Every structure is written in C-alpha cells, then in structure tokens.
Amino acid sequence: MNDFEEKIAEISCDGLRSQTIEILQVNLGLRCNQECSHCHLEASPLRKETMEWSTMELILEAAGIADCKLVDLTGGAPELNPYLRRFIRVLRRQSHRVQVRTNLTVILEPGLEGMPEFFREHEVQLVASMPCYLEENVRAQRGAGVYEKSIEAIKRLNTIGYGRDSSLPLNLVYNPGGAFLPPPQSVLEEDYRRELARRFGIVFTHLLTITNMPLGRFRTELAGKTKIRITFDSFEHRLTPKRSGTDVPSPTRRGLGGYLFDCDFNLALGLPVNHGAPDHIRFFNIGDLQRRRIVTGEHCFGCTAGAGSSCGGALV
C-alpha cells in the first residue's frame, strides 16, 4: 500500500472508487510536433505509437454503451493520427460531444491547414495548451518559435468563431514552468484575458490550470538539477494533499492501444485498470468499470495539492 492509499484508507477501507463514467478520454498516439520539457508522456516527433482504426471501432462501441457525456481526444498531438477526422465524424454521428486537446501549433503543420474548419463544422470543443501569456516562459517550456505560432493559431481559431461562439469553446491550459503549483485559476485567468486581449486582441472561453507531475520528461528535468535530492524532494513535498480526502477527484479513463487506465498519469506509469476490472477495451463491461476501484500511487498527491488539479483544471 502506498502513502496515497493510506490516506484514502483513513476515509474508506474500500479504497477510492469510481461512481460513474462521464468522460471517455482517448489517447490517439504519442507522436507530437513538439517536445515540451514538462511532458509526462515524453511525446515527440520521433514517437511511433499511434492508435489504429480497429481499436477506435471498439471505443465507438464502448462510448455508446457507457453513454458518457464527453469523448475527450488527446495525445501527443491527436491531430497527427491519420484516422482522427474519420473518428470524429462517427462520434458526432452517434451524437457524442467531442473535445480535442491541441497544442495549437500542430494546426499550422503542412497538410493540417483545414483542421480548424473541420473542428468548427463538427462543433468540436477545444482545449489548447498555452502555458503562459509571456513569450519567454513559453519558449523555456516548449521551444523557440512556439509562442508566435500559438498566437497565430489562436487568432485563426478566433476568426472562425472559437472562443467567441458559445457552441465553439476554446479553453486554454496553463502548466507551471517549474517545480511549483499553479497560482489560483480565477486570478490567472484574469491576467491571461487582459494580456492576450491587450497584446493580440485574442479571446478565449476559460483558463484551466494543471499541475505538472514528476513523471516522464519533467521528472528527468528535475533529476538533472543541481542538488537533485533537495530539488526533487522539495517538489514532491509540495504535492502533499492540503484538502480533505473527500474532495479527491473522480478520474477519467483512457485508452491507447486499447488498454484502459484510470488517468493520464497512470498511462505514463504503465498502471492499467486493476482490482478485478477489465483492463482492455476488448473486454469493456460497463457494470465492472463504472464502479471499479481506482488504481492510485504517490503521484496522486499532485491532483489533491493546493486547489487540486484535473484534466478540467483546478477543483476548488
């Protein structure tokens, strides 16, 4: 039993359990046109892992059975999966709400120029990575030229209605640039709105703040710091829960090659659904999965620290 499990045991001897399945989050592959320093999945242009259509067909069936509120598509850069458009068309035909997590710059890549219009046509919600409104901070985390391309992409999305039309939400995502927790989401959202509007005339729907986990490339970055143990241990100490365990978020579920995970970070760690529930989309069983016991670890403290963190931003 890990430390997080011990905290949960103080509240429930039966562990942390799901109550329902509201979001089906699907990782379409680890290939990405960027190589961000904070990426817990270590996505990059060199990664080859890509979800095949045969797996997507099983997900389409499961999404119908689960009657989930949202199908959330992520990666890597989900736009680089060759079956993305086909997948979205079928999901929308089946009346599922669809959300794509984009890094923005990918929609400027050759061959993807029409992607924003495709998203608009199918009323796809967008969650876009924009780790700061300041160029120097984005450059440090995501590389040279990314800030300028991100601004260009948001302007283009604004032009076709994203962030302006209520049916076309454009939510931006802030990730800390180092070993610290995000500031209060509502305060930072005001800063983003003011600065992006003043500098570029940009608008967006909401800002989401997400805590970096000491996993993948970010863990490697922490380990490379001077006085490694002080740096790494100090950050993990900040992930100690500061809220009541009753506020622990209900994790979403995710598939890549068809395997099922309770959350994105469990995917990074290779910790699939367990405790007797099926761990592959081939064996999807709504009864076993919607009341399953959640697989947790020390990293789960990151989603309960401070104001909390989830794929949907801060929790309180």
Side-chain angles (χ1 to χ4, degrees), residues 60-267:
L60 290 168
E61 183 179 350
I65 294 171
D67 193 26
C68 49
K69 294 181 178 179
L70 179 70
V71 179
D72 185 6
L73 308 181
T74 187
E79 295 92 335
L80 296 179
N81 186 296
Y83 302 109
L84 174 68
R85 296 189 191 215
R86 182 182 179 186
F87 194 38
I88 289 175
R89 287 190 188 101
V90 179
L91 284 167
R92 294 297 289 139
R93 227 173 16 243
Q94 294 180 349
S95 300
H96 295 296
R97 288 172 55 228
V98 178
Q99 176 173 282
V100 167
R101 294 181 181 267
T102 180
N103 66 23
L104 291 172
T105 65
V106 71
I107 65 175
L108 304 178
E109 291 286 310
L112 295 177
E113 298 89 347
M115 192 62 76
E117 289 74 19
F118 174 82
F119 287 155
R120 179 187 62 183
E121 178 186 354
H122 293 86
E123 295 190 327
V124 174
Q125 303 174 195
L126 295 181
V127 174
S129 180
M130 188 67 182
C132 191
Y133 53 80
L134 296 174
E135 179 182 355
E136 56 267 31
N137 292 345
V138 175
R139 188 190 309 115
Q141 189 177 98
R142 305 179 76 186
V146 172
Y147 181 80
E148 296 87 344
K149 290 180 179 179
S150 298
I151 295 298
E152 180 184 349
I154 297 175
K155 285 183 174 181
R156 181 172 171 184
L157 291 167
N158 279 173
T159 299
I160 64 174
Y162 273 97
R164 300 183 186 277
D165 188 328
S166 61
S167 67
L168 299 172
L170 173 62
N171 295 320
L172 303 185
V173 174
Y174 164 87
N175 290 96
F180 49 86
L181 296 175
Q185 184 170 281
S186 59
V187 175
L188 191 58
E189 181 175 300
E190 291 179 5
D191 293 340
Y192 265 69
R193 288 195 189 282
R194 180 186 66 251
E195 294 302 320
L196 291 177
R198 180 178 67 84
R199 299 172 189 223
F200 308 107
I202 281 174
V203 297
F204 61 93
T205 308
H206 292 296
L207 178 74
L208 312 178
T209 59
I210 299 181
T211 300
N212 290 334
M213 296 292 136
L215 305 172
R217 199 172 289 135
F218 185 52
R219 183 184 184 102
T220 302
E221 181 180 276
L222 289 173
K225 301 287 187 182
T226 307
K227 299 181 180 177
I228 168 199
R229 289 316 308 167
I230 295 177
T231 302
F232 190 66
D233 287 348
S234 296
F235 181 59
E236 286 206 319
H237 176 70
R238 298 181 194 186
L239 300 185
T240 302
K242 299 177 182 178
R243 305 179 296 117
S244 166
T246 56
D247 292 329
V248 173
S250 176
T252 58
R253 295 181 54 257
R254 160 185 298 266
L256 178 55
Y259 285 95
L260 305 177
F261 299 83
D262 290 301
C263 75
D264 204 31
F265 303 120
N266 281 11
L267 169 61

